[in-house]
Amino acid sequence: MPVSWTLLIVLALAAVGYVVTRARAIAQAGGDVRRLHSRPSYHGWHAALLTALPALFLIAIWRFVQPSAEVTLLTPLALLLAAAGLAFALIRTAPGFRARNAVESMVKGLLILCSIIAILTTAGIVFSMLFETGHFFQKYSWQDFFFGTTWSPKFGGGSQLGILPLLWGTIYISLIALAVSVPIGLFAAIYMSEYASVRLRSVAKPAIEVLAGIPTIVYGLFALITVGPALRDWFAQPMGLGSSASSVMTAGLVMGIMLIPFVSSLSDDIINAVPQSLRDGALGLGSTQSETVRKVVLPAALPGIVGAVLLAASRAIGETMIVVLGAGAAARMDLNPFEAMTTITVKIVSQLTGDNDFAAPETLVAFALGLTLFVTTLVLNIVALYVVRKYREQYE
Amino acid sequence: MNDMTLLERSVEQTEIKISAQDVQVWYGEKHAIKDVNVDLLDKTVTAFIGPSGCGKSTFLRCLNRMNDTIESCRVGGRIALDGEDIYDRRVDPVQLRARVGMVFQKPNPFPKSIYDNVAYGPRIHGLARNRAELDEIVEKSLRGAALWNEVKDRLGEPGTGLSGGQQQRLCIARAVATQPEVLLMDEPCSALDPIATSQVEELIDQLRAEFSVVIVTHSMQQAARVSQKTAFFHLGNLVEYGNTDDIFTNPRDPRTESYISGRIG
Amino acid sequence: MNDMTLLERSVEQTEIKISAQDVQVWYGEKHAIKDVNVDLLDKTVTAFIGPSGCGKSTFLRCLNRMNDTIESCRVGGRIALDGEDIYDRRVDPVQLRARVGMVFQKPNPFPKSIYDNVAYGPRIHGLARNRAELDEIVEKSLRGAALWNEVKDRLGEPGTGLSGGQQQRLCIARAVATQPEVLLMDEPCSALDPIATSQVEELIDQLRAEFSVVIVTHSMQQAARVSQKTAFFHLGNLVEYGNTDDIFTNPRDPRTESYISGRIG
Amino acid sequence: MSDATIEGAPRATQPKSSLLVADPHTRRRHAAEARFRAYGLGAIVISMVMLVVLLFTILTGGIGAFRQTYLEIPVTLEDAQLDKNGNRDPADLRKVLTLTYGKLLQQSLEKVVADKGIAIADLSAKDLSGLISKEAPARLRDQVLANPDLIGQTITARVLVNGRIDGYYKGRVTMDSALRDANTSPAQLQLADALKAQGMLATKWNWSFLTSPDASDQRPEAAGVGIAILGSLYMMLVVLVLAVPIGVAASIYLEEFAPKNRWTDIIEVNISNLAAVPSIVFGILGLAAFINFGGLPQSAPIVGGLVLTLMTLPTIIIATRAALKAVPPSIRDAALGVGASRMQSVFHHVLPLAMPGILTGTIIGMAQALGETAPLLLIGMVAFVKNFPSAPPEGLFEPASALPVQVYNWTQRADPAFIERASGAIIVLLVFLLCMNVLAILLRRRFERRW
Amino acid sequence: AAARDQIQISGSSTVLPYATIVAEAFGENTDFPTPVVESGGSSAGLKKFCEGVGENTIDIANASRPIKDSEKEACKAAGVTEIMEVRIGYDGIVFASDISGNDFAFTSADWFNALSAQVVKDGKVVANPYTKWSEIRADLPDQEILAFIPGTKHGTREVFEEKVIAAGCKESGAAEVFNTELGEEAGEQACLSLRTDGKSVDIDGDYTETLARIQSAKNGIGVFGLSFYENNTDKLKVATIGGIQPSTESIASGEYPVSRPLYFYLKKQHIGTVPGLKEFAEFFVSDDLAGAGGPLASYGLVADPELAATQKAVADEVTIAQ
Ligand SMILES: Nc1ncnc2c1ncn2[C@@H]1O[C@H](COP(=O)(O)OP(=O)(O)OP(=O)(O)O)[C@@H](O)[C@H]1O
Ligand SMILES: Nc1ncnc2c1ncn2[C@@H]1O[C@H](COP(=O)(O)OP(=O)(O)OP(=O)(O)O)[C@@H](O)[C@H]1O
Ligand SMILES: [Mg+2]
Ligand SMILES: [Mg+2]
């Protein structure tokens, strides 16, 4: 692969640039680095970055614009650019040169670039779904989609594709999952950071994190084989709430278990980061440890905890396997938690991976569902941001 | 109430409030407090003086078991409050700390409103029956700490947005609001101007009528002004303990003398 | 080195180091500093005095743009260092802060070893060519801050495990190690015993030979002892500024007088 | 100015209480404390119990995949069948299909049965041929093609037996179930028992589960996770190399440098929203952006890695930002005060303090990425792949599968033997995860401290 | 990147096992690398197939239904103009219940009456009142109605609706009553609307899920593919439809009514550029593999009686009209 060779050469040049420029800066200062505006290593980095970055960008853009085109021209161009960067850096090196500022602005540029990736991802997601969503709404009326209360896709046409039952299922299951995971996760985090011995904590935290790594299919099968029938036999049937083995409750409970580490581990880190002086202040006034936690530590850690809960909620919304195996595939609007229901995400997956005509509304609806979900969660996130802003307690 | 306070103040009190015997403190390997024996009297202000790093704060924190929160810290010996060993297994540090309050060396206001900072103690101890009573306690405490005038219009703003000295007074108000029997104050006036200092000293004097106060200070003048008893620490040892007057006029130990005479302001 | 210092000290210096004109500071709605005009001289110790909460720290933080980090804080007016506006867009606050060092009111050591705390500044500014030089700088700074003897055996231990006064001296050492042209010290001796205080004051006096020092203090005595110029702040206003002797013996403003006469220790 | 009133702080008249006796109010608070603590402990216990239950089910279900039943029989590689021309020409040898080798093995087995005098009622020819895995002929053929000199010799071939027989020795198949099972019969099981008694058939540790590629639905006994491990490894490399630095860099910018304005609000909301995007949507994006637009190949770990990177980024960013937020501002002030630049204060002081949170985000994000199937579905990695990809970087562009994909695939297959394989693959996945996490967890413990 | 040397296949998960069996054998017995077989559903497979021509598009799409006209058009628009359609055989669809439960002998009408939202009782259209099989027909066992049927994503559902429910609707005479009572269109709809009270459970997952559900609800009856049943005869008991036992033979002969054809579609434009593509297609439909005694049949594929014609079409590279 010539491109990877080019890459290697560019990186090697950058390394050379670092060494040479650093030495040159020291030499210019007559060995006394105090006469330099910036430390010699900043001069080195300046050269390395100037050598590598433009060339790397060239390669990246080239590859992106013309993926399969000839690369023979690319290599010399990239190397030329790298050499030019190196030369420029060498010329600029002088005791008074603000190498640190230059390096820091380049690094800042890189940091900005990285945060732009998030925006690009969003744009990519929206664009990759917008087009097909448009197709969908050409074939299916938007009123029926947004306000329809029945979800029953059919192969021969005449499907009813109302989003409401799916939306309801999504909300219901996520709420139950959060009702399980947030208290358990939060209490676990509190216990680990405030009460537990170092040994217990060093075992419990990674152990709980394993819960996040168990493939969801395991949870799904656990819901299907163990939890579902148990709930049916012990709760639903005795209470006269139906005899469905798959239910919102099953999926919610099992998903809740999966989400525990999302809440517990992140919260634990945040709680741990609350300065000890705040705890001392509360304890010194004669609070019990739990009062300290509830009234001082948790409010101070609130933004991070909300972030953790949001992350858990996000996972709950995005989960498929547990819902399919735990809650079933029936779209239904019902208050009974022991009834089978399903979520938007499940239907996105199943309509995308089904056997339908790929240009039919039954398949395209997946994109509309995806986009709608995207917008819905966006609104939720805006609300969450607003709430956190309002209740944030900044320490120090 | 006022009269009673005045009345009681005149009565000489010699009851022992806290008695420490052979107290030892280690931070890991470091022996920070060595064989300290001292009896702190009720209705008395005791001053702890000594060079920086000699163990004043450490010893103070032993008295209400705040050292429990420092992992590397081990305490030996016996400390009794009203005759009861506070390091007894059955003793609940929470109850202890409610009775032995503390103002820390570094001001550490909660990231809450000024009001909530002061109301925190009364709330958890259920000292106020209703909002009006709570308001009253908060106001009284803030007045006592000479902070009321500066913050009365901004009680809802965060306590962390105050100036250094204001934060210090807020922490004093917060401790006072809890109405402890013994109040441990670690350099409570270090960031205060002379006027605020004198007001806090006045508060200490009032508290003495009913409670016992221990104050750490680097200012000999302050120690002389507010305290009846003084303890001089040096390199983890309690070098000398006695009536403030005696210590300052007639120190027995050469170390005490050199410390006091080396005074500057 | 010592001789040279003595030599230079005798030369009278009246060059203006920092000049502040019409400085205003708001915290959100709150107008914390109002119309402050002051010229701080080179090779001079200037003391800021005033009641707690009057804006001393706020003004101090303006001088090296540490206020940039407080979101709600806005600064107006013009502050010039050696004639250059420090709020100019082209000014790099980093370079400014390297030249105008700061000791904060609340000691804030890094959660690193004592050595690393002090060595941090010299390291990032490249003040030492090698490890030996760095060791030397660290020792000198710690000696200057009167901390060396206490920590020389535990340089590798975390700076956060020191006592309050030790932390304060560590922060002084850390600031001194960076060798700034102007050193802003916000109540640097508040947690220090008299002996340590006098050592730090000696350090300030030495620094004055080459640099400009601004010190916030609540102790009139300290201000009188170490400073040549004194500025008195009250409720955000600079009430009076002049030679220390004049301010203390002959205040022009009644507010200054009442503040100084209200002094206690 | 005098705030202090003459009356000191009032005190509700309280009898002097003993430290050892709690008053009612304190008792109530104690009860609350005990409850609170119990909730915390309960939460940990619940989590641990769930973990143990899940691990137990996985282990009991999957440990069998690491043992496999083999048959060792003498096989005469007859010239007549394998090399009709007798010239050992590789091209000719290749023309001999597995079918022939299958027959060869069947004959050998028949011979063994006859030689050893094994007599079993109702033993049909199908039972006899069905005893040997369909994979066996292929492996024998490979062996012969690799070493044509074997032809004409009698070698002891170590061959896999059919999944049902293997299941019989793992308790999955019983004489009873065999009676009803269309794919085996009691007679076949008896034959296996008889061979076992002769020492020719044994259940042994199964390395090849970790090293061999997937096998088709008819050969559960031969299926392995070799390619899946490689594929997952490649993808995780990509994720680790991209997601962690990019995520941390983005968080640093947003938390420490970005001006707090509408734009950064938008980015912030946007990132939390990305976390809520179902993983399959990232698959849609990956298909559109990387394969259709970017021209990267189908089923390649590089695409999978990129998609998972995008999916993991929000998790890492959210965790990192929360951790950065939690660092007290006084630390930043301290650094700025000695003339450090913002960049230096972040990289020297803030980042190390935020490290535990960053590592937690990494652990959770990577765990999620490692176990994800849905997005891979759309970029072609949920696939049956038989040829190993080469070493990186080329290997990143060659088809591979992944561990969760293997699990997903196997749980869908008809033959119940695959359920055991799936659980086995889950064990491998968890071990993989643990290996990945151990480093992060150790690092995290180093960085954890209170200030 | 280097030219792609392995065949890439995507599409229906029903065809997947057969395709992998063939791919594996192909790789073993030829010098070509083993093709990569993805699953992801007929729809996604065909969509990728129709994405265009070239190295990073797939060569073969498996489908459990014939390609639709709209899809052909999309293909054409993207430049995929020459498509070969290869029918590999038939997938039988069977009804099975737990091995230890009752025996069932169904008719299509039974299924219609059990699962339809509305049924005709005493000449009137009523909401489905049946809760037990025995209420529908006295010879059926006295067992709660609980059916696990394929979810709406599965092609099997279409076959189930068409060949069982719709057929049962006609067979039971309900179709006529619906037509007269509700009108043509609504009547047709009524024939295909299933009850939603939990007696009929959609399964969006796979047959393994259906099996697991039956094992946790022993009175359930599930819809399976024949091959799945054949691999699990020790756990499942199959029901007859109209008295016919499902088997590869009875389905091939057309006696057993519920089955569907399986296909793969091949991009002719890739023949010659992707090594082994044509060989693979020929290998797939050869008698050795797809024939009645071959491994595919032994796995449960119902061999195509017209396999010879298919083999010829593949050899001649016959494309479908677009
Ligand atoms: N971050 C902040 N937000 C809002 N108000 C603030 C903030 N910091 C300080 N203030 C207010 O500004 C005023 C001046 O504060 P500053 O810290 O400058 O006082 P100071 O003179 O240093 O007092 P002290 O001697 O107590 O440290 C005070 O009234 C204080 O409450
Ligand atoms: N957490 C800790 N870990 C280790 N050593 C500590 C810790 N806290 C204090 N020390 C050490 O114990 C000794 C006594 O500290 P202490 O805080 O009691 O001093 P102090 O008398 O309060 O001083 P100051 O007047 O400076 O506040 C000091 O040498 C200090 O360095
Ligand atoms: Mg102290
Ligand atoms: Mg201040």
Side-chain angles (χ1 to χ4, degrees), chain B residues 52-58 105 186-187 216 218, chain C residues 162-166 191:
Chain B
S52 168
C54 66
K56 304 177 298 295
S57 301
T58 304
Q105 187 167 9
D186 202 345
E187 305 193 26
V216 173
H218 283 301
Chain C
L162 292 174
S163 82
Q166 287 167 337

Side-chain angles (χ1 to χ4, degrees), chain D residues 104-396:
Chain D
L104 206 64
L105 282 169
Q106 190 183 342
Q107 287 159 6
S108 310
L109 184 58
E110 274 165 10
K111 190 156 167 286
V112 166
V113 171
D115 286 355
K116 301 278 176 185
I118 297 170
I120 290 161
D122 304 331
L123 189 70
S124 63
K126 184 171 168 249
D127 286 341
L128 207 59
S129 65
L131 185 82
I132 296 173
S133 164
K134 292 195 169 61
E135 176 79 3
R139 293 208 182 160
L140 187 62
R141 179 170 178 266
D142 286 346
Q143 205 179 340
V144 171
L145 289 184
N147 183 7
D149 295 340
L150 290 177
I151 295 176
Q153 298 179 14
T154 300
I155 60 167
T156 309
R158 186 158 174 265
V159 298
L160 285 164
V161 301
N162 178 309
R164 293 287 147 111
I165 307 296
D166 181 49
Y168 174 55
Y169 292 111
K170 291 175 183 166
R172 196 170 59 233
V173 176
T174 61
M175 284 291 174
D176 248 6
S177 76
L179 204 56
R180 297 185 299 259
D181 198 331
N183 294 358
T184 187
S185 67
Q188 199 178 30
L189 300 185
Q190 283 161 11
L191 171 63
D193 276 341
L195 288 170
K196 188 168 186 175
Q198 297 282 347
M200 305 179 102
L201 188 139
T203 308
K204 297 192 184 111
W205 177 253
N206 181 20
W207 272 119
S208 76
F209 178 65
L210 293 176
T211 55
S212 41
D214 192 8
S216 74
D217 293 45
Q218 285 177 316
R219 309 175 183 176
E221 60 278 358
V225 290
I227 292 183
I229 291 178
L230 263 191
S232 277
L233 184 71
Y234 287 1
M235 287 200 295
M236 288 305 113
L237 278 181
V238 175
V239 174
L240 194 68
V241 165
L242 292 179
V244 177
I246 292 180
V248 173
S251 321
I252 290 177
Y253 176 72
L254 292 174
E255 204 52 53
E256 304 283 335
F257 294 102
K260 299 282 175 278
N261 59 23
R262 190 172 291 254
W263 278 105
T264 38
D265 282 357
I266 290 176
I267 299 184
E268 174 167 358
V269 163
N270 194 18
I271 287 170
S272 350
N273 192 39
L274 278 181
V277 170
S279 53
I280 184 125
V281 172
F282 283 99
I284 298 176
L285 173 68
L287 179 65
F290 301 126
I291 295 181
N292 293 342
F293 185 68
L296 291 170
Q298 303 262 352
S299 315
I302 181 78
V303 181
L306 287 172
V307 168
L308 294 179
T309 298
L310 294 184
M311 196 190 80
T312 325
L313 265 181
T315 308
I316 295 184
I317 293 182
I318 288 174
T320 307
R321 290 194 64 179
L324 289 174
K325 258 197 200 111
V327 176
S330 68
I331 302 287
R332 297 183 182 84
D333 280 0
L336 296 182
V338 294
S341 67
R342 265 166 175 259
M343 199 70 81
Q344 286 170 327
S345 90
V346 169
F347 282 97
H348 296 166
H349 300 287
V350 179
L351 214 51
L353 293 179
M355 216 42 150
I358 295 173
L359 290 169
T360 300
T362 309
I363 291 172
I364 287 184
M366 297 283 279
Q368 183 185 352
L370 182 65
E372 197 59 76
T373 335
L376 304 183
L377 207 55
L378 295 184
I379 56 160
M381 283 198 77
V382 179
F384 175 81
V385 183
K386 206 62 188 174
N387 299 96
F388 280 88
S390 40
E394 284 83 4
L396 293 177

Side-chain angles (χ1 to χ4, degrees), chain E residues 135-150:
Chain E
E135 292 167 9
I136 295 168
R137 200 147 56 81
D139 354 353
L140 286 172
D142 182 26
Q143 181 177 323
E144 291 278 340
I145 297 175
L146 178 61
F148 298 110
I149 63 169

Side-chain angles (χ1 to χ4, degrees), chain B residues 221 260-265, chain C residues 194-195 197-199 201 221 225:
Chain B
Q221 292 81 348
I260 290 169
S261 62
R263 77 181 162 196
I264 293 166
Chain C
I195 298 156
T197 303
S198 76
Q199 285 170 319
E201 285 173 5
Q221 292 82 349
R225 274 195 308 270

Side-chain angles (χ1 to χ4, degrees), chain C residues 13 35 64 79 99 101 128 135-136 153-154 181 233 248-250:
Chain C
Q13 282 287 349
D35 285 324
N64 72 343
I79 300 176
R99 290 172 58 190
D135 286 351
E136 199 185 318
D153 302 324
R154 45 191 281 208
E181 296 168 25
F233 286 82
F248 280 102
T249 54
N250 212 353

Side-chain angles (χ1 to χ4, degrees), chain A residues 31-34 37 39 98 100-101, chain C residues 92 94-95 123-124 126-127 129 133:
Chain A
D32 183 1
V33 293
R34 277 174 286 197
H37 168 277
R39 317 274 345 256
R98 298 177 163 202
R100 199 201 67 237
N101 303 50
Chain C
D92 178 12
V94 175
Q95 233 173 326
R123 276 205 185 115
I124 57 170
L127 301 183
R129 259 165 308 196
E133 264 189 41

Side-chain angles (χ1 to χ4, degrees), chain C residues 26-201:
Chain C
W26 289 267
Y27 288 115
E29 290 295 283
K30 189 178 160 64
H31 199 167
I33 292 287
K34 298 161 196 156
D35 285 324
V36 169
N37 285 287
V38 68
D39 286 338
L40 305 175
L41 302 183
D42 199 12
K43 312 204 177 171
T44 304
V45 178
T46 310
F48 286 2
I49 60 169
S52 167
C54 66
K56 303 178 297 295
S57 301
T58 303
F59 185 67
L60 208 64
R61 290 170 68 106
C62 288
L63 299 182
N64 72 343
R65 292 186 59 177
M66 279 308 297
N67 272 337
D68 291 11
T69 62
I70 300 175
E71 228 169 281
S72 64
C73 182
R74 275 176 311 125
V75 178
R78 184 171 187 278
I79 300 176
L81 174 72
D82 288 336
E84 287 173 330
D85 184 0
I86 63 168
Y87 280 91
D88 191 291
R89 275 170 168 261
R90 285 161 305 171
V91 164
D92 178 12
V94 175
Q95 233 173 326
L96 171 69
R97 292 186 197 122
R99 290 172 58 190
V100 185
M102 181 144 193
V103 177
F104 294 85
Q105 187 166 10
K106 270 193 205 182
N108 53 356
F110 298 125
K112 295 178 180 281
S113 75
I114 294 171
Y115 183 93
D116 286 341
N117 260 284
V118 182
Y120 182 70
R123 276 205 185 115
I124 57 170
H125 296 301
L127 301 183
R129 259 165 308 196
N130 49 40
R131 178 76 196 201
E133 264 189 41
L134 192 61
D135 286 351
E136 199 185 318
I137 294 181
V138 169
E139 180 174 341
K140 205 186 260 167
S141 311
L142 284 170
R143 275 191 197 282
L147 189 59
W148 177 252
N149 284 336
E150 282 161 71
V151 299
K152 63 170 182 275
D153 302 324
R154 45 191 281 208
L155 288 175
E157 282 177 40
T160 42
L162 292 174
S163 82
Q166 287 167 337
Q167 289 191 9
Q168 200 164 36
R169 284 174 282 161
L170 180 62
C171 291
I172 294 173
R174 186 175 67 186
V176 169
T178 322
Q179 302 170 10
E181 296 168 25
V182 180
L183 186 58
L184 311 174
M185 301 174 109
D186 201 347
E187 306 193 25
C189 303
S190 64
L192 300 188
D193 59 277
I195 298 156
T197 303
S198 76
Q199 285 170 319
V200 170
E201 285 173 5

